[in-house]
Amino acid sequence: MSTHISTNKLVNTRVLIVGGTSGIGFSVARVALEHGASIIVASSKPEKVNSAIARLKSFYPDEEHTNRIAGTVCNLADRATLEANVVSLYNFATAPDTFPNTQGTQTPDGKVLLDHVVMTAGDALGLRKPTDPTFDVSYIESSGTVRFIGSLILAKHAPTYMRQAPSSSMTFTSGVLATRPASGWTLMAASGSAIEGMARGLAVDLAPIRVNMVSPGAVLTEIFGTLETDNLEKMIEMFRSQTLIGEIGKPEDVAEAYLYAMKDRFLTGGFIGSNGGMLLK
């Protein structure tokens, strides 16, 4: 094996990306795969998992890559089954037969421990101001289930399924709107702030596993198509104009932040911003 000190850090590792079938998560899956990891993408919809696997294999058709691609379904939106779904996800991700060529640290019962977990999943964004009549308890609870509660339950079970070493990491996702909210984004700002505090707390409680957080700015992904807005183009242009570079983010660029969080074994409790200078304008 080459003695490169950077590009080999993910070789023969096993990386789980929850929300890895689209947007930033899909790009994280690609960069991890390109750096030698075996990747498992998870989403709540079977068709999205199948589509993501097919796209990954079309981008990387050689056997050296296709043998390191897997995916499964995990629904984090149903509170009644959320914890059981997370356990099932981890069992799949650590099964010795998930990939054709099993490598990595195994437990006495045969699990292949995960090295990294990345969480980019989230519900469709419904933009509502707190004064809106539909801004009720049910809306608040449903909006926080996947991003916040789902993240905590992933963390709860992580020590059972992850290598206990500084080489391992969990990376969660907040957003620049937690610091600089726009009109109608109060709930998302609150959720992002909660995730930031959660990540710092988990860095203490899960050590030596490292826990960090990436805070993207506006990134042009499929989720923009779910926004409850009458003028999507106008909203995209608004976000573009708020950056110093005059551009909206691209998933493949922001994915580099997650790659860094996995590779820097001295980084924990960290906050990585990728927002085009939005906080400086």
Side-chain angles (χ1 to χ4, degrees):
M1 181 185 294
S2 168
T3 56
H4 295 172
I5 66 170
S6 177
T7 54
N8 286 339
K9 280 189 175 179
L10 295 188
V11 171
N12 295 332
T13 62
R14 194 173 276 213
V15 180
L16 169 63
I17 305 105
V18 184
T21 60
S22 63
I24 294 172
F26 185 76
S27 289
V28 173
R30 292 189 65 177
V31 298
L33 188 66
E34 289 173 2
H35 281 73
S38 295
I39 56 108
I40 305 105
V41 295
S43 173
S44 61
K45 295 181 173 61
E47 59 271 20
K48 292 191 70 174
V49 173
N50 293 334
S51 173
I53 291 175
R55 283 187 293 151
L56 287 166
K57 290 183 176 181
S58 70
F59 291 144
Y60 310 97
D62 55 288
E63 190 175 272
E64 190 275 327
H65 286 94
T66 58
N67 283 343
R68 294 187 283 110
I69 298 170
T72 190
V73 175
C74 181
N75 181 11
L76 299 179
D78 184 351
R79 293 194 181 195
T81 62
L82 194 160
E83 189 153 8
N85 293 344
V86 165
V87 171
S88 294
L89 170 64
Y90 275 135
N91 283 330
F92 174 87
T94 56
D97 59 354
T98 297
F99 301 101
N101 302 314
T102 296
Q103 297 186 53
T105 302
Q106 293 193 41
T107 62
D109 59 356
K111 291 188 183 73
V112 181
L113 296 177
L114 289 165
D115 297 279
H116 304 282
V117 175
V118 173
M119 171 62 168
T120 64
D123 303 281
L125 301 177
L127 304 184
R128 306 179 193 179
K129 293 184 178 181
T131 53
D132 191 308
T134 62
F135 194 99
D136 53 19
V137 172
S138 175
Y139 168 68
I140 295 169
E141 289 181 341
S142 63
S143 296
T145 299
V146 172
R147 287 180 176 83
F148 184 63
I149 298 177
S151 293
L152 282 170
I153 299 302
L154 278 169
K156 172 183 177 180
H157 293 279
T160 302
Y161 296 92
M162 293 186 71
R163 186 196 303 265
Q164 300 288 306
S167 58
S168 300
S169 73
M170 300 191 78
T171 308
F172 297 97
T173 305
S174 176
V176 70
L177 291 167
T179 303
R180 186 182 175 184
S183 178
W185 292 78
T186 292
L187 191 55
M188 292 307 300
S191 175
S193 296
I195 291 169
E196 292 176 12
M198 176 202 72
R200 285 189 290 269
L202 289 174
V204 176
D205 286 336
L206 297 187
I209 295 172
R210 298 178 295 104
V211 183
N212 297 291
M213 183 200 59
V214 174
S215 178
V219 181
L220 193 57
T221 68
E222 297 90 333
I223 203 167
F224 268 90
T226 69
L227 294 174
E228 298 174 4
T229 179
D230 296 328
N231 196 329
L232 181 58
E233 286 302 318
K234 184 177 180 181
M235 175 173 286
I236 291 174
E237 181 55 38
M238 176 195 72
F239 283 124
R240 182 181 289 116
S241 68
Q242 290 177 345
T243 68
L244 289 177
I245 62 174
E247 296 287 346
I248 196 168
K250 297 178 181 178
E252 60 267 30
D253 292 327
V254 177
E256 298 287 344
Y258 295 84
L259 181 64
Y260 168 66
M262 286 187 270
K263 290 170 65 176
D264 183 350
R265 298 176 182 179
F266 202 51
L267 178 73
T268 192
F271 175 105
I272 306 172
S274 179
N275 56 54
M278 182 178 174
L279 297 180
L280 300 176
K281 188 168 181 179

